[in-house]
Amino acid sequence: MRGFLYSCLIGAVASARSMTPMASLAAARLLGYRTPGRLFLLDRPVFTYGALAMGVGELFGDKMKTAPDRTVFLGLLARVSSAGIAGAALAPRGREQIGAAVAVATAVPLAYATLAGRERAMARIGQTRSGLIEDMLIVAAGAAIVALAVRR
């Protein structure tokens, strides 16, 4: 299981911010780093820059009063997709499918736990402040996980 630690951790990131795993991988790719597992999507600039834009957009959209819960169907679908792709990319080469499964198996149940935590924080300090704190923690975690997993 040690070989899939980064896949598991990036799944935890996806539980709170669905686009952060892909944005973190895109940033690493732009800086010249390679993932242990194959990640063909981010070899194409349209996907790389698109992942970055979606990551930034999610950070703004999350603070809106109309933002849906992360556990609605489309929110879970985004988490499954992002966690699966990122989990595969951070898995050992040749074991990408297992890495994807580990990340998804982490992201989905944790989406409910992170939502419960966010709801408690919103009740105490409000939607915007709780969202900004969650953003800082999750973006830092995504960047750290990817930085530890990739190589030049």
Side-chain angles (χ1 to χ4, degrees):
M1 185 66 179
R2 183 172 171 245
F4 299 102
L5 175 63
Y6 298 126
S7 298
C8 181
L9 292 173
I10 207 69
V13 168
S15 75
R17 291 288 177 276
S18 61
M19 296 297 115
T20 297
M22 294 300 296
S24 299
L25 288 169
R29 186 58 62 102
L30 287 172
L31 293 171
Y33 291 93
R34 297 282 174 228
T35 57
R38 292 189 179 126
L39 184 60
F40 299 111
L41 286 177
L42 293 181
D43 286 336
R44 307 217 187 297
V46 68
F47 287 107
T48 303
Y49 291 107
L52 286 172
M54 290 176 70
V56 170
E58 181 181 39
L59 297 178
F60 288 104
D62 179 65
K63 307 323 164 285
M64 296 173 61
K65 299 281 185 210
T66 59
D69 286 346
R70 60 193 72 180
T71 57
V72 300
F73 175 75
L74 289 177
L76 287 175
L77 181 62
R79 279 161 179 70
V80 165
S81 300
S82 179
I85 292 167
L90 298 181
R93 188 159 298 244
R95 309 208 50 209
E96 291 89 351
Q97 289 180 342
I98 297 170
V102 166
V104 169
T106 302
V108 172
L110 276 183
Y112 291 90
T114 58
L115 175 61
R118 175 71 186 279
E119 287 173 339
R120 283 192 300 277
M122 284 178 11
R124 294 179 86 183
I125 62 173
Q127 183 172 2
T128 301
R129 284 179 46 194
S130 65
L132 291 172
I133 292 168
E134 189 178 42
D135 286 346
M136 288 187 291
L137 293 172
I138 295 303
V139 170
I145 293 161
V146 170
L148 290 170
V150 298
R151 63 190 184 291
R152 276 220 181 261

